Amino acid sequence: STMLIRILLEMEGFEVVTSFDRRSAIDAASSETATFIVDFNLGHGGNGVDLIRTIREGGTRASCTVPTILVSGDERVEDEALASGADVFLLKPYSPTLLIETIHRLIAGD
């Protein structure tokens, strides 16, 4: 669940901003945003791939090069996610440890 992931990331020392649709994610992004974790299925029928394209095209206040992780329960969307500019695709269910390790690796630029 979103709240569980948020709590785990906050325990790891991350500041987490949760958005449930594309518009609120765009509005919440800032120059301080270190990474995006995007669910393929956004609220209001939105698509996470569209959000990643918006990020990559400079449509947020965050840098267009901010690392992005797209998560989905459908492995068939992996190619589309990576083609849209996602740095990493994680198939649900994934372990919280994998998510945290992935974030640290992306932020470090590895």
Side-chain angles (χ1 to χ4, degrees):
S1 92
T2 302
M3 286 308 295
L4 177 60
I5 292 170
R6 179 185 183 123
I7 291 167
L8 291 170
L9 291 176
E10 288 175 342
M11 288 174 55
E12 193 65 24
F14 293 107
E15 181 180 336
V16 179
V17 176
T18 306
S19 300
F20 292 97
D21 59 44
R22 183 177 174 274
R23 179 80 259 150
S24 63
I26 290 169
D27 290 345
S30 75
S31 60
E32 302 296 313
T33 302
T35 191
F36 286 94
I37 303 167
V38 180
D39 196 305
F40 182 80
N41 296 306
L42 296 176
H44 305 295
N47 180 316
V49 168
D50 293 336
L51 175 56
I52 291 175
R53 286 189 183 116
T54 299
I55 294 164
R56 292 295 178 245
E57 292 166 359
T60 68
R61 290 186 304 260
S63 167
C64 63
T65 62
V66 166
T68 59
I69 301 167
L70 189 124
V71 299
S72 177
D74 185 350
E75 62 196 12
R76 297 171 296 179
V77 302
E78 181 175 6
D79 290 342
E80 182 181 7
L82 297 174
S84 73
D87 294 290
V88 174
F89 174 83
L90 292 180
L91 183 64
K92 293 181 192 179
Y94 51 84
S95 77
T97 301
L98 176 61
L99 178 62
I100 290 166
E101 289 172 353
T102 301
I103 293 168
H104 281 298
R105 182 174 51 82
L106 289 171
I107 290 173
D110 294 343

